[in-house]
Amino acid sequence: MKYIFVTGGVVSSLGKGLAGASLGTLLEHRGLRVTLQKLDPYLNVDPGTMNPLQHGEVYVLADGAETDLDLGHYERFTKCVLTRENNLTSGQVYETVLSNERRGDYLGKTVQVIPHITDEIKRRIRSFEKVGNADILITEIGGTTGDIEGLPFLEAIRQFILQVGPENAIIIHVTLVPFIKAAGELKTKPTQQSVAKLREIGLQPQVLLCRTEKPLETEVREKLSLYCNVPVNAVIEARDVDNSIYEFPLMLQAEGLDEKVCKLLHLDTPPADMESWKKIVRSIVNPSRRVKIAVVGKYVELQDAYKSIYEALCHAGGANDCGVDLVIVDAEEIEAEGAEKHLKGVSGILVPGGFGDRGTEGKIAAARYARENSIPYFGICLGMQIASIEFARNVCGLAGANSTEFDQETPHPVIALLDEQKKVTGKGGSMRLGSWPALLKTQSLAHAIYGHTEIAERHRHRYEFNSDYREQMEAKGLVFSGTSPDGTLVEIIELKDHPWYVAVQFHPEFLSKPNASHPLFRDFIRASIG
């Protein structure tokens, strides 16, 4: 197996995950089997308990693992179906080592960062060899070189490369080459310092991936090559893409990144045929029409909080030869100023997931606005619960209807905890997580969209629709078009007399790809165009 480690320098948020995913795309198009892994230095066991405003969205895998949003890039850009093994945090490493110590595995020994912590990190990297379903593992190390919490991971990588040999493992260092406007030039010193920090640790990058706003002229490349001990042809320009992140693999191919990587790892493969990918990019970048979609959320200050939602809308636009203009609406502003002011003129309304009662009344107002004005509505997770509450209040006449998450004393708890959830006191990993099956009602809109009677989708939630209200709401026109196989849990609701009104308890955005738009998103955009 071959190994590629992606490190970052100077500042965070340089796009290491996107770089790794894009390289994975190129290597797959060369006929190689690729898998990707993220090493996160934070001490949380996983990001499941983090505020999305701090860390971005929590990306859920099929096996129920709550992971970093970069794993979304990995699955969207490649054929990978990832598991909890593909995301390792410092919290998981220390938890495992301390459990081993308590069990007596290190009996008689002093437990230390070296070798016990580094050995556990190496074990997780090597675990993919046993599975045997990939030729190459691309491992991204979160954070920035020099961060104190990242040092055990970098030390583990130093040891690992020493063990497998330099012909089997390389380091790609993603770094910033800033343009100083006052000086009118690109500055290489931050990259020099970042690489110097890596070399202090004993790591020498073989490739520099330079994030820059301006083209890297030959003189700049030569300077970076000289001071960073990297060949000139391994200094790769990675400028900001103009229109879509899906252009990034094509940009890296033009720079010869995949060719350089294959030579370094002694891989004899044909060039990547990216014609199909170029076609996808053209459909996204040059659509023949545009549509305006409102996303009504509570974490709107940070774009990464709804990353997979935005990407799935982009994929659906490409599938419909339509550009999607996002109107990002803070649900609290609807509460203060009304739905009309913020939603008038949009062609579709999407309410995504979330936790807590902040902004919920604004989301309920958005769902009502969509229902009463025949605007296509797409509710996801909390967005489905919001639609249920709105329908109960304003169509069924159940005054005060709510979720017990927001109001423990509500007279009509149309959304409530399951009995088994009422006993849960911890937060991490205690929700309904991962891929769950659902059965679709024939002759429903959901069935027409999917074309199947049984589906499987990824979940991340704790509260469910209260089936005590199902018969009453069905009588008023709400269709329960998707349920769990035993019929006890509601998965999809829709309205009969509405152009397009669908809300789901799961997260379909996690299964959307640029070359395989999720059917719900695709049909939502089609209806919004109409």
Side-chain angles (χ1 to χ4, degrees):
M1 195 169 189
K2 304 290 186 177
Y3 300 89
I4 300 169
F5 296 100
V6 181
T7 59
V10 185
V11 295
S12 59
S13 302
L14 283 178
K16 298 188 298 296
L18 188 57
S22 297
L23 177 58
T25 302
L26 292 171
L27 295 176
E28 279 192 344
H29 282 80
R30 297 179 79 106
L32 296 164
R33 298 172 302 162
V34 176
T35 192
L36 296 101
Q37 179 186 43
K38 176 75 182 284
L39 306 182
D40 274 311
Y42 52 72
L43 284 172
N44 302 66
V45 173
D46 60 44
T49 58
M50 293 186 190
N51 189 321
L53 288 175
Q54 185 174 90
H55 189 261
E57 76 172 3
V58 175
Y59 187 81
V60 180
L61 303 179
D63 66 358
E66 295 175 284
T67 68
D68 186 82
L69 62 85
D70 280 318
L71 276 79
H73 286 315
Y74 303 163
E75 286 200 331
R76 282 189 285 270
F77 276 72
T78 69
K79 299 173 184 175
C80 295
V81 178
L82 307 178
T83 71
R84 61 184 67 252
E85 293 295 311
N86 295 81
N87 195 189
L88 179 65
T89 68
S90 287
Q92 292 173 21
V93 173
Y94 282 93
E95 186 179 53
T96 300
V97 170
L98 291 175
S99 294
N100 292 344
E101 188 273 333
R102 291 291 84 187
R103 195 170 56 239
D105 292 4
Y106 312 126
L107 208 55
K109 296 179 181 178
T110 301
V111 179
Q112 297 175 288
V113 172
I114 302 172
H116 300 97
I117 296 298
T118 52
D119 281 353
E120 176 59 23
I121 295 169
K122 289 187 292 182
R123 184 193 69 78
R124 281 290 292 267
I125 295 171
R126 278 198 177 276
S127 66
F128 294 93
E129 292 178 356
K130 298 176 184 177
V131 180
N133 61 355
D135 304 307
I136 295 179
L137 171 64
I138 301 174
T139 298
E140 173 194 351
I141 295 85
T144 307
T145 299
D147 294 346
I148 191 167
E149 60 266 30
L151 291 176
F153 288 100
L154 295 176
E155 169 60 20
I157 290 167
R158 185 193 68 77
Q159 297 174 17
F160 187 88
I161 293 175
L162 192 65
Q163 291 167 359
V164 301
E167 70 279 3
N168 293 315
I170 64 170
I171 296 171
I172 297 177
H173 191 55
V174 183
T175 182
L176 179 67
V177 181
F179 178 76
I180 306 301
K181 192 173 181 181
E185 62 181 357
L186 292 168
K187 291 294 185 180
T188 63
K189 190 64 73 177
T191 296
Q192 294 178 42
Q193 295 292 332
S194 177
V195 172
K197 181 66 70 174
L198 265 183
R199 293 169 74 182
E200 283 177 15
I201 300 166
L203 295 173
Q204 169 64 54
Q206 284 72 43
V207 178
L208 286 182
L209 197 63
C210 301
R211 291 302 314 278
T212 175
E213 298 174 4
K214 304 287 184 178
L216 288 184
E217 303 294 345
T218 302
E219 182 182 350
V220 175
R221 293 184 192 243
E222 290 175 345
K223 190 173 183 181
L224 286 167
S225 169
L226 178 65
Y227 285 99
C228 298
N229 197 32
V230 173
V232 174
N233 66 357
V235 178
I236 305 296
E237 177 186 293
R239 263 190 292 169
D240 296 343
V241 291
D242 295 327
N243 301 293
S244 168
I245 60 172
Y246 302 107
E247 296 175 278
F248 200 47
L250 302 177
M251 178 186 292
L252 295 181
Q253 185 187 37
E255 282 285 303
L257 176 62
D258 55 320
E259 183 68 26
K260 182 66 180 176
V261 165
C262 287
K263 285 182 179 178
L264 286 167
L265 293 174
H266 306 280
L267 293 167
D268 185 14
T269 63
D273 182 359
M274 298 296 288
E275 282 307 312
S276 60
W277 194 267
K278 289 176 183 177
K279 186 177 179 181
I280 294 165
V281 171
R282 282 195 294 269
S283 69
I284 293 172
V285 173
N286 297 308
S288 62
R289 51 193 170 180
R290 305 198 71 82
V291 68
K292 190 181 290 186
I293 301 295
V295 177
V296 182
K298 62 185 293 185
Y299 311 120
V300 294
E301 299 98 313
L302 182 67
Q303 184 175 351
D304 282 350
Y306 298 118
K307 187 65 177 176
S308 292
I309 294 280
Y310 299 153
E311 293 308 314
L313 288 169
C314 171
H315 306 160
N320 284 285
D321 189 24
C322 178
V324 177
D325 296 324
L326 295 176
V327 179
I328 310 301
V329 182
D330 189 329
E332 290 185 285
E333 292 183 1
I334 292 181
E335 290 179 350
E337 301 170 331
E340 177 84 11
K341 178 177 179 179
H342 294 280
L343 300 176
K344 186 176 181 180
V346 302
S347 298
I349 297 171
L350 188 151
V351 175
F355 296 90
D357 62 355
R358 182 173 64 85
T360 53
E361 292 300 323
K363 293 182 178 183
I364 290 169
R368 181 175 187 174
Y369 186 84
R371 180 178 59 80
E372 294 181 343
N373 291 277
S374 297
I375 299 171
Y377 175 86
F378 191 7
I380 294 176
C381 196
L382 177 61
M384 187 276 255
Q385 299 174 5
I386 289 294
S388 302
I389 295 167
E390 190 282 320
F391 191 87
R393 288 182 186 178
N394 301 311
V395 178
C396 299
L398 301 176
N402 214 327
S403 167
T404 55
E405 180 183 6
F406 314 137
D407 180 5
Q408 290 283 344
E409 306 303 323
T410 174
H412 298 290
V414 295
I415 305 296
L417 278 177
L418 295 176
D419 288 339
E420 57 264 33
Q421 284 285 347
K422 292 177 181 177
K423 301 172 185 176
V424 174
T425 55
K427 298 293 185 187
S430 60
M431 295 178 279
R432 185 149 74 102
L433 291 163
S435 184
W436 290 71
L439 299 181
L440 305 185
K441 181 182 289 187
T442 56
Q443 298 183 327
S444 65
L445 177 57
H447 179 256
I449 291 170
Y450 276 99
H452 301 284
T453 54
E454 185 170 350
I455 60 170
E457 294 279 2
R458 298 182 189 180
H459 293 65
R460 183 178 184 253
H461 63 97
R462 184 172 286 111
Y463 290 78
E464 303 276 359
F465 181 87
N466 186 347
S467 291
D468 291 345
Y469 291 88
R470 185 167 168 178
E471 187 175 330
Q472 186 176 357
M473 293 171 78
E474 273 183 321
K476 289 290 187 177
L478 193 66
V479 178
F480 295 88
S481 54
T483 64
S484 58
D486 63 5
T488 59
L489 302 177
V490 173
E491 297 282 15
I492 307 176
I493 61 173
E494 57 188 66
L495 286 180
K496 285 181 181 178
D497 302 319
H498 193 282
W500 204 96
Y501 195 103
V502 177
V504 299
Q505 186 57 78
F506 45 82
H507 288 270
E509 68 271 23
F510 293 150
L511 292 182
S512 186
K513 293 175 180 278
N515 53 356
S517 172
H518 192 285
L520 285 172
F521 278 90
R522 187 170 62 244
D523 210 67
F524 170 60
I525 294 299
R526 184 183 298 130
S528 299
I529 294 168

